[in-house]
Amino acid sequence: MTFEQYIDRFNIRLDDQQAEAVKCDNLCLLLAVPGSGKTTALVARLGYMIYVKGIRPEHILTVTYTNAATRDMKARFEKYFGGEYSDAVTFKTINSLCNEIIGYYTYITGGSSFELIEDNLPVIREIYISQTGNWPDEADLREIQQQITYIKNMLLDKKQIKAITVTEDKISIENIYEQYCRRLSENRLMDFDDQMVFAFRILRKNSRVREYFKNRYRYLLVDEAQDTSKIQHYIIQMLAHGRNQLFMVGDEDQSIYGFRAAYPRALMEFEKTYKGGQVMLLETDYRSDGYIVKAAARFIKHNQSRHEKKMLPAKPETKPVTIDSMEKRQQQYGRVINYLRSIYSGRQTAILYRNNDSALPYLYKLKKEGIPYNCKGMETTFFTGRTVRYITDLIKLSYDMGNTELFMNTYSKTGCYITKKMAETAVSMYENGRSREGIWNCLELLVKEGSRSRDIKSTASYIRKLKTMSAPEALETIEFLIAGKRSIDTEKMYILKCLAAEDMSAEEFLNMLEELKYDIENKAPDYGADVILSTIHSAKGLEYDNVIIADAIDGILPGAEADVEEERRLFYVGMTRARESLMILKYSDCYMPFVYLMEKILRKTQPGKAANETSVNMEFEPGDVIIHKSFGTGTVMSADGDTVTAVFESGRRSLSYSFCMSQGMIRKQHLK
């Protein structure tokens, strides 16, 4: 069967680049821009190998990133080619492949197997408590879990491990990691990352196992190669070594899982790793409006570590990208609600954000307004985080000043310099009937004079009054009590303030938080809803009619300590989820480097008002204090067009506003 006969028989429609990739008989890395039909090309490649090249399907292995992707890939294969070969072709995740390698090794060596531990959080919790003496938050545990995965997948050495700190308390992971590995080994347990480490070692040291799998799977196809970790690339490399039958599909511009040890560098080094390998391109975006494609292409070109590639729109330019500007971040929720009411029924609109915390005010507002929604991948770690627990426990304490548990959870957070011994003595006094007014009153009796006594009396008075306050007043009071005395997560405090309505009592506020937490844990997904809330990470690989990108502000997107190139890729992935329209929210009270860069791009790519939603210099006015990465603190003298003139300690400087903003070089200092 010829290639032409093949595509006619199975009604496969390919553009020229897709067709060339499908027919490639060499080691190949196919770089595919968003919406370019990479999955179509990969599945067509599978059929081409079987029906045109006559390759036995049992010799073909397709490696996917997730179990869901495995099921989807098999379903697509069956859609094109029926069920004739669907069970003969192997579709596996890398973990499933590693499990098979370990199983074969155990069989031929007569060794005993390890038990797979699917949930390692209880083990991590036990070790954390034994190491620190403290009870960890769920967020702490997941951060440690994530770092353990990163260490194993990136094959870090002891020196690199020692440098890693986790949690708000900056705990070194070195001892936790060593004890975790020892605990699993002693109990003959293995986590999913251990599967890959063990399989890698087997393939590297045991030639019999290595040759068995190289002969069994003579043709390798790898999907989402940009999300593959270093150790996963090494495993693939060992199985592909000495053969010209490796077909990898990915795009380093869409690599957004660095925290899970994704290793896009492997794509940059493909031709060096695989001698004679060929890099091919899919450059036509069939998904998004032409304006979106143009803007996204210009945006991602600011990254340095990438293959040069075009991004060509298949759709015309019909709806310009918009940047909706607001004075305050908190105004976004009402604006978005009004926008959603203007959208025709049946058109999916996705609100995308970096962190799940950003979704909470939207969840509350959408429910309140009776707008159906579906929220993807939401967790409840927000409610168990330290800052939120401090605040809710203090409000609860105001209703029950004799609650010993709440008192012990909060006494150290208020800045009264109360020792643990003093707190325990006060509890004992209360339990022995020394005061009916609560444990804080016992503290007052214990510390009779001096500044500490005055602080205790003042703090106790504030706490007692919380139950009489509105929710916003209570939050402001607690912020006053904690600020400067204990670290507070300002973003979580912001979210709480957004949830606290003026007409809501402190008690109603607590009930609302519990109700919101219950909804997240128990609400069945509404797959028919037109409104979707999702992190950008969870939206990867998906597409929607309309996309709104929220909270692209400094410290969130891009993250405060994150790799700026990966953060730029994340923003790019969010943009390219949109089919018809893309709206980016902008707030004057926040520093937004990616949005400023996008404004500059839109002025060059879009006509008229849409390209100039906000003027170039609207952020800065004469008299504003600004901070420049190189020149330090200065005062704006004038702002004219794209030129900002400011006086710094080193002298007067004239700066390009758009360039400085796009590079994250300058920001406005918001004075209190």
Side-chain angles (χ1 to χ4, degrees), residues 12-189:
I12 299 172
R13 297 290 176 261
L14 304 171
D15 64 28
D16 290 344
Q17 286 186 324
Q18 291 170 334
E20 288 303 309
V22 167
K23 293 187 290 183
C24 179
D25 290 325
N26 201 355
L27 289 158
C28 179
L29 169 63
L30 180 62
L31 298 175
V33 305
S36 60
K38 71 171 181 66
T39 304
T40 298
L42 195 150
V43 173
R45 168 81 175 176
L46 277 170
Y48 172 79
M49 294 166 69
I50 296 169
Y51 291 99
V52 179
K53 304 298 290 185
I55 294 167
R56 292 171 60 182
E58 58 267 27
H59 286 160
I60 303 172
L61 170 64
T62 301
V63 179
T64 57
Y65 187 59
T66 64
N67 287 320
T70 298
R71 293 190 295 270
D72 180 65
M73 193 71 69
K74 186 173 182 178
R76 292 195 185 213
F77 182 87
E78 290 178 349
K79 182 181 178 181
Y80 276 110
F81 309 111
E84 184 180 3
Y85 295 117
S86 62
D87 291 331
V89 176
T90 303
F91 300 90
K92 285 182 179 289
T93 63
I94 193 75
N95 275 103
S96 181
L97 172 62
C98 290
N99 187 54
E100 188 180 4
I101 292 168
I102 294 168
Y104 180 73
Y105 172 78
T106 303
Y107 170 74
I108 65 170
T109 60
S112 57
S113 61
F114 283 68
E115 181 184 349
L116 183 66
I117 179 171
E118 296 191 13
D119 181 11
N120 60 359
L121 288 180
V123 177
I124 296 172
R125 182 183 289 108
E126 288 179 18
I127 295 169
Y128 183 96
I129 295 170
S130 69
Q131 290 278 331
T132 67
N134 298 319
W135 187 266
D137 296 336
E138 186 179 353
D140 292 338
L141 294 176
R142 294 197 179 279
E143 186 180 2
I144 294 169
Q145 183 188 53
Q146 181 178 296
Q147 288 298 341
I148 289 172
T149 289
Y150 187 85
I151 288 167
K152 293 179 179 181
N153 276 264
M154 293 300 288
L155 300 170
L156 300 187
D157 58 33
K158 289 186 177 181
K159 185 178 179 180
Q160 291 169 314
I161 296 170
K162 191 173 183 177
I164 298 174
T165 58
V166 295
T167 79
E168 290 182 19
D169 299 323
K170 300 299 180 184
I171 295 171
S172 172
I173 200 170
E174 181 182 19
N175 292 333
I176 294 176
Y177 177 73
E178 287 180 358
Q179 193 171 334
Y180 173 81
C181 292
R182 191 182 307 117
R183 182 82 61 90
L184 263 60
S185 178
E186 289 172 351
N187 292 279
R188 300 198 64 76
L189 298 172

Side-chain angles (χ1 to χ4, degrees), residues 6 150 248 429 485 611:
Y6 160 69
Y150 187 85
M248 300 180 74
M429 290 170 63
K485 302 160 188 173

Side-chain angles (χ1 to χ4, degrees), residues 208-225:
R208 179 180 173 185
V209 176
R210 186 171 62 251
E211 291 304 314
Y212 171 82
F213 280 94
K214 286 175 69 174
N215 286 320
R216 178 169 182 176
Y217 301 124
R218 300 177 186 181
Y219 303 88
L220 297 179
L221 293 86
V222 181
D223 191 26
E224 302 289 3

Side-chain angles (χ1 to χ4, degrees), residues 427-441:
V427 168
S428 179
M429 290 170 63
Y430 176 75
E431 290 175 342
N432 290 326
R434 292 286 301 275
S435 172
R436 294 182 178 180
E437 295 183 37
I439 305 168
W440 276 92
N441 187 248

Side-chain angles (χ1 to χ4, degrees), residues 489-504:
D489 188 322
T490 55
E491 178 60 17
K492 284 183 170 52
M493 177 59 85
Y494 169 81
I495 297 296
L496 288 171
K497 287 180 177 179
C498 287
L499 293 169
E502 292 292 339
D503 60 348
M504 186 184 289

